[in-house]
Amino acid sequence: MHKWIDISLPIHPEMAIWPGNPGVELEASQCLHEGDVCNVSKLTVGTHTGTHVDAIKHFIENADDIASAPIDRFIGPARVVEVSSQREICLDDFDPSVIGKGERILFKSRNSVDRLHESGFQEDFVHLSVGVAQWLAEMEVPLVGVDYLSVGGYEGNVVDVHHELLGNGVYAVEGLVLTGIEPGWYDLICLPLKIRGGDAGLTRAVIRPRETSV
């Protein structure tokens, strides 16, 4: 039996944050070394910090919050697809003919190879093109994952890509760490926090190699 592999980012105050989003603050409210009976901390964090799932309402008016997201979208077979794109993932950067309708797709790019997640926010990360977002929606993909903080580009197509995905019911998992992960089929678990009214939910994403898609 293959072991589960953690592909999520650790949460800490020095981690990369999307510009304008809340930073991470972790402070003790009770401490054993100060005589309290246990350690308890206060965590302040934005909903789109680190590895997280976008709710449909993130960009779509009057849409479902993250607490309403169907659980089965986030558990099951997922295909890791590696692309050589330097900035924007287009349809000619991978072979779409091998991908079937309804498959979960996790894109691995130079974001993981160059370990962009280990430094401050990088504006030139690899992201989806609007064309690929439209194709994913047409393929009825239930979930697409990317290896940086957004499916769309910084100060670029970020709004259009999110609208194409979320507006068609495709959930986006952002902030995956696919360094060292080979292309192929995996079991995926990435359940977002159940936040009533939330526009996203932080998640602990894990994968396990499998032989086939089903």
Side-chain angles (χ1 to χ4, degrees):
M1 180 69 69
H2 293 291
K3 292 184 178 180
W4 289 98
I5 304 167
D6 192 338
I7 56 169
S8 49
L9 287 162
I11 303 298
H12 59 92
E14 290 77 36
M15 69 188 303
I17 300 292
W18 187 271
N21 281 10
V24 177
E25 297 180 15
L26 182 63
E27 57 181 300
S29 59
Q30 297 180 47
C31 300
L32 285 169
H33 73 267
E34 292 183 1
D36 295 314
V37 297
C38 62
N39 290 317
V40 176
S41 300
K42 174 185 175 182
L43 175 66
T44 302
V45 63
T47 52
H48 296 266
T49 300
T51 310
H52 64 277
V53 176
D54 284 349
I56 304 300
K57 72 171 290 182
H58 181 34
F59 274 84
I60 307 300
E61 189 91 29
N62 300 318
D64 286 347
D65 63 6
I66 199 63
S68 304
I71 291 176
D72 58 3
R73 297 293 186 94
F74 313 110
I75 303 176
R79 184 198 291 265
V80 173
V81 176
E82 187 164 11
V83 295
S84 59
S85 319
Q86 292 303 298
R87 189 63 184 269
E88 188 172 82
I89 301 172
C90 299
L91 282 172
D92 57 3
D93 292 323
F94 60 98
D95 184 1
S97 68
V98 302
I99 297 174
K101 275 202 168 187
E103 294 181 0
R104 299 174 185 85
I105 304 298
L106 311 179
F107 283 109
K108 177 185 177 181
S109 73
R110 69 168 178 83
N111 297 336
S112 289
V113 176
D114 294 345
R115 299 177 180 268
L116 295 190
H117 54 277
E118 295 181 357
S119 55
F121 181 77
Q122 304 293 309
E123 297 182 4
D124 64 343
F125 62 90
V126 177
H127 56 274
L128 302 183
S129 65
V130 174
V132 166
Q134 292 171 337
W135 176 80
L136 291 167
E138 292 169 1
M139 292 295 290
E140 300 175 5
V141 169
L143 172 150
V144 60
V146 293
D147 53 358
Y148 205 64
L149 297 180
S150 175
V151 287
Y154 180 67
E155 295 185 338
N157 64 7
V158 62
V159 174
D160 291 337
V161 168
H162 277 92
H163 273 273
E164 289 293 341
L165 296 175
L166 302 178
N168 288 288
V170 181
Y171 283 87
V173 185
E174 300 170 324
L176 295 174
V177 180
L178 299 176
T179 305
I181 302 300
E182 295 296 325
W185 282 104
Y186 294 83
D187 291 313
L188 169 71
I189 300 175
C190 62
L191 293 171
L193 289 177
K194 191 175 182 180
I195 305 171
R196 185 176 296 173
D199 46 68
L202 277 65
T203 182
R204 183 78 176 264
V206 295
I207 57 174
R208 180 175 63 184
R210 62 180 297 151
E211 299 300 323
T212 64
S213 61
V214 294

